[in-house]
Amino acid sequence: MSQGVCILGSTGSIGCNTLDVISRNLDQYSVRVLTAHSNWQKLLEQCKNYQPEKVIIADQQSAELLTAELRKLNLSIQVESGRDAIINAARTPGVEIVVAAIVGAAGLLPTLTAVECGLKVLLANKEALVMSGELFMNAVKAHRAILLPVDSEHNAIFQSLPGADDNGLASLEGVHKILLTGSGGPFRQLPLNELSQVTPDQACAHPNWDMGRKISVDSATMMNKGLELIEACFLFGVPLEQIEIVVHPQSIVHSMVSYADGSVIAQMGNPDMRTPIAHTLAWPSRIEAGVEPLNFFEMSNLTFESPDFERFPGLKLAAQAMQVGGTAPCTLNAANEVAVEAFLAGKIRFTDIAPVIRKTMEHVEVREAQNLQTIIEVDQLSREFALSVVEQRGQ
Ligand code: NAD
Ligand code: MG
């Protein structure tokens, strides 16, 4: 019997990679639901290739265009539109696996629905977990969902930890430290005085990974590693002090776990997201991902260095947010999303991103992150304040 899959954000980089893995394993997985923001052309192509039962597109006009094209092709695929339809995507009968691959806070409610349905949730959308932390993890436990990390570092840590229960909750027995690796992005060695002049296209040209534009900018500021630090604390239930960031420019070691007895276990592979996607889809089994194994005889040197907190101030801001707790990570994430969007739109400079986040964190009151309503309110307030900072900077 094949398992029904719903991909939240199927037209993005993670979404397309997931479909590529599924196409190699069609005896085991069938595509039930695909969702996207507005790219109906790509969704149409995916409809032709995978014949899902339902597609959901946030933008109403795009939904109409897609419906007309599907009719011409005589494809009987249900089309829905709007934000609520995306939030409820995981409730579609027959869905057993949900791939959370929407970028940013927009993914929080659709991903939480999948958790509340007690499904197998493959988490790429780290922002959802950063925003809602404990609340999200409590929902996973309460609804007995199976939560598995797609983010390559967290997937590597998950594979290197001693084991996990049936719901994917990992054991920490004998673990000394988690070593979270990161490439350092495209500007690791750029002279510091040139950072303020870099363009969105330069920031998005990651040396090792081909990703969506938001996460690419996050990698260039290393805020991505900051968000991943918070993600790891919540996912694995470890304190900040037990995680160390290690810069590894080649992206071959995807993260490591060091143990009390001096052992260090690493997960390695070519930098290709199809590996962690395939790992989580099939867990605890293994399936074909279309990724070549490493060739150790052709590999260049593997190097490791400590992170540069002056060059990448976002790293400290993220650690601070986690230390403060409550809604501080939610504010950090919201301000970062606003600042990155403004940078991509040419409104602020690359070096303005961290100050926008810092100012927002200083201004927005930290509350206890008790319920979803509080989180949504703080997300909104933080966005509004960050936007006002952006507007001042842009003048
Ligand atoms: P992307 O920009 O390529 O794709 C984003 C997807 O989300 C698209 O399908 C888009 O239609 C959808 N979307 C965007 N805004 C939406 C909205 N408001 N409502 C509904 N749908 C919306 O992004 P990506 O690179 O695939 O990243 C997706 C998530 O996975 C991010 O959270 C990112 O941090 C995480 N992630 C990505 C990679 C990677 O290699 N790309 C690696 C690790 C983690
Ligand atoms: Mg990652």
Side-chain angles (χ1 to χ4, degrees), residues 100-384:
I102 291 176
V103 59
L108 176 64
L109 295 180
T111 306
L112 271 180
T113 303
V115 168
E116 284 161 14
C117 291
L119 300 175
K120 179 166 164 177
V121 181
L122 315 191
L123 185 73
N125 181 203
K126 65 192 89 184
E127 297 92 344
L129 184 59
V130 168
M131 287 172 78
S132 63
E134 260 177 50
L135 196 103
F136 189 102
M137 293 309 293
N138 288 341
V140 168
K141 286 167 204 156
H143 298 280
R144 301 197 57 74
I146 302 175
L147 182 68
L148 300 169
V150 171
D151 210 349
S152 58
E153 297 77 5
H154 304 74
N155 185 268
I157 294 162
F158 183 79
Q159 293 197 51
S160 304
L161 282 170
D165 69 10
D166 292 348
N167 291 68
L169 291 169
S171 153
L172 293 170
E173 215 189 316
V175 171
H176 171 57
K177 267 201 162 163
I178 284 175
L179 305 173
L180 180 69
T181 59
S183 69
F187 306 139
R188 187 175 56 92
Q189 292 176 314
L190 192 76
L192 275 181
N193 62 1
E194 290 177 30
L195 268 184
S196 65
Q197 300 307 320
V198 301
T199 65
D201 282 346
Q202 285 171 316
C204 288
H206 196 281
N208 307 334
W209 299 95
D210 183 11
M211 312 181 285
R213 283 173 84 78
K214 192 264 177 182
I215 184 177
S216 296
V217 176
D218 284 348
S219 300
T221 59
M222 279 196 87
M223 181 51 92
N224 183 48
K225 216 44 59 186
L227 296 174
E228 290 185 355
L229 190 65
I230 300 173
E231 181 186 13
C233 289
F234 288 126
L235 263 181
F236 304 118
V238 293
L240 207 54
E241 307 75 58
Q242 223 180 336
I243 305 177
E244 195 169 342
I245 296 174
V246 178
V247 174
H248 165 50
Q250 298 81 16
S251 300
I252 295 294
V253 173
H254 298 309
S255 278
M256 303 173 264
V257 174
S258 101
Y259 285 86
D261 62 5
S263 302
V264 178
I265 300 194
Q267 187 262 357
M268 295 192 264
N270 280 312
D272 189 320
M273 288 309 291
R274 290 176 301 174
T275 296
I277 290 167
H279 173 263
T280 50
L281 269 174
W283 182 81
S285 306
R286 299 268 178 181
I287 53 171
E288 195 66 47
V291 182
E292 286 295 312
L294 285 175
N295 181 340
F296 285 89
F297 306 111
E298 281 181 4
M299 211 149 56
S300 63
N301 290 335
L302 299 186
T303 58
F304 302 90
E305 51 195 76
S306 51
D308 179 343
F309 289 98
E310 189 195 346
R311 180 181 292 267
F312 302 115
L315 280 178
K316 264 213 176 105
L317 292 173
Q320 259 169 30
M322 189 64 209
Q323 211 127 42
V324 171
T327 53
C330 175
T331 292
L332 170 95
N333 177 68
N336 181 54
E337 284 191 34
V338 168
V340 170
E341 204 178 308
F343 168 67
L344 284 173
K347 290 185 187 151
I348 58 170
R349 289 174 304 183
F350 184 77
T351 42
D352 289 331
I353 295 175
V356 169
I357 301 166
R358 185 181 309 113
K359 287 217 161 88
T360 309
M361 285 175 67
E362 280 163 6
H363 181 268
V364 177
E365 186 200 352
V366 179
R367 301 197 217 160
E368 276 190 48
Q370 284 162 327
N371 54 52
L372 202 53
Q373 192 53 38
T374 305
I375 286 161
I376 292 168
E377 268 171 36
V378 171
D379 175 65
Q380 195 53 40
L381 281 173
S382 307
R383 276 167 202 276
E384 282 163 17

